[in-house]
Amino acid sequence: MSAFLGHIHYWLYRKIQLLVERENLILEKTTKVVDDLAEELHSISVDTYGEPINPSIPLENIIDHGNIHGWLSNQINIASVREAAFIKDLLDTNSGDEAVNVVTAILDAFAVQGQACGVVAQDNLEEHTAPAIYNALQNFYVNGMPCDGGDQVVSESPDEFTWVGDHRLQAGYWRTAGVDSKFMALAYQTWFEAFVKAVDPNFELVTTEENGTRLYTIKKKYSTKYKKGRVCKQSKKTGAKVKAGTTVTVWISKGAKPKKQTTN
């Protein structure tokens, strides 16, 4: 990276700010469930891993100008581990109905922020394609430093974009914190789903597994207009017919055989 502040540094700093804001959102939502315990657990994470940056402070007023790359990398590490440790403690110290409510609150925090970021991303979405949505997503969540190489892309087309969902650039932080990696993967999946739905409701995020490898796919939903009197595939047994102009949403890839159809 450059020795001078440039666009990429502000881009990274904004994503760190969002990470800190999500941590605060988790605190806010879990406090409604377990009251002061959430604040106590968060204080432990802060004492252990360091204070969160103040998201309102401009980058030029807070960064170490003599070590720009190192400062940004360290802030990603601190914020990522602190959030994961906070989540671990929330999961470990609650049981029964409270545990269920805590899980719901954490996932809700991820979903709320993912949706909010997706709404913001709409304004700058260059084209409504799966790769464009994936690229927009990269502007809002911390996925390592630019030199870390990013995700492993499996396939891409205008209607589908698939990458390996191993979270290799987050997994190290999760191991340091000792948090359940499966839960964190679910939390990030929740964030991705909310983001994609918000940025363009004609697309969705689908999570699959292939030979033990988790895959994320941003894919387009396809709609077909049925003429009056034509029988829907799913209603052949009952003989129910689809009204004129009804849109049937097909949750599959273009050209594949229908697996699921719903009517409005």
Side-chain angles (χ1 to χ4, degrees):
M1 282 193 177
S2 169
F4 304 97
L5 287 178
H7 170 75
I8 193 169
H9 305 122
Y10 288 98
W11 176 74
L12 278 170
Y13 183 56
R14 179 53 187 148
K15 296 202 291 181
I16 295 170
Q17 290 174 307
L18 287 170
L19 183 54
V20 172
E21 288 172 5
R22 187 174 67 209
E23 178 185 342
N24 291 333
L25 186 57
I26 293 170
L27 173 60
E28 175 187 325
K29 288 186 174 294
T30 55
T31 296
K32 296 177 181 178
V33 177
V34 293
D35 300 320
D36 293 341
L37 177 60
E39 187 67 50
E40 292 174 14
L41 295 177
H42 186 250
S43 295
I44 292 173
S45 295
V46 170
D47 291 342
T48 304
Y49 298 104
E51 289 279 348
I53 60 171
N54 185 336
S56 66
I57 299 178
L59 177 60
E60 58 271 20
N61 294 342
I62 192 174
I63 197 169
D64 178 359
H65 289 266
N67 185 21
I68 292 174
H69 181 279
W71 187 90
L72 288 167
S73 179
N74 188 50
Q75 291 302 319
I76 289 175
N77 179 75
I78 292 172
S80 298
V81 175
R82 187 181 56 242
E83 179 192 53
F86 178 36
I87 290 173
K88 176 186 183 299
D89 288 344
L90 284 166
L91 297 176
D92 289 350
T93 55
N94 290 280
S95 59
D97 291 341
E98 275 196 346
V100 173
N101 292 335
V102 164
V103 166
T104 300
I106 294 171
L107 295 181
D108 186 47
F110 274 81
V112 167
Q113 193 196 54
Q115 180 185 32
C117 290
V119 170
V120 173
Q122 285 180 333
D123 295 335
N124 296 315
L125 193 65
E126 295 181 358
E127 55 185 5
H128 292 267
T129 65
I133 293 173
Y134 171 79
N135 289 333
L137 184 149
Q138 298 299 318
N139 291 327
F140 292 88
Y141 94 105
V142 174
N143 196 25
M145 298 286 285
C147 55
D148 291 332
D151 298 316
Q152 180 183 343
V153 177
V154 176
S155 64
E156 63 177 294
S157 70
D159 293 343
E160 289 191 16
F161 187 99
T162 300
W163 72 98
V164 175
D166 56 2
H167 295 281
R168 68 179 188 86
L169 297 178
Q170 291 84 35
Y173 306 131
W174 301 346
R175 286 193 295 271
T176 299
V179 70
D180 184 347
S181 61
K182 290 183 179 180
F183 179 81
M184 293 304 294
L186 174 62
Y188 271 74
Q189 176 186 328
T190 301
W191 194 101
F192 294 157
E193 288 172 347
F195 179 92
V196 172
K197 183 178 181 179
V199 74
D200 189 336
N202 293 314
F203 285 82
E204 64 177 341
L205 181 94
V206 177
T207 304
T208 56
E209 189 170 303
E210 187 174 300
N211 298 322
T213 300
R214 184 188 187 91
L215 300 175
Y216 289 128
T217 300
I218 296 172
K219 62 193 310 183
K220 190 171 186 178
K221 302 174 185 177
Y222 292 95
S223 297
T224 304
K225 292 288 185 178
Y226 280 72
K227 295 180 180 179
K228 184 176 182 179
R230 182 172 178 179
V231 180
C232 177
K233 286 182 180 291
Q234 285 190 320
S235 62
K236 280 186 176 179
K237 290 183 179 179
T238 62
K241 296 184 178 182
V242 180
K243 295 180 180 180
T246 298
T247 298
V248 178
T249 302
V250 184
W251 305 86
I252 56 173
S253 301
K254 190 175 183 180
K257 294 181 179 180
K259 293 182 180 180
K260 179 179 179 182
Q261 293 179 321
T262 57
T263 58
N264 295 330

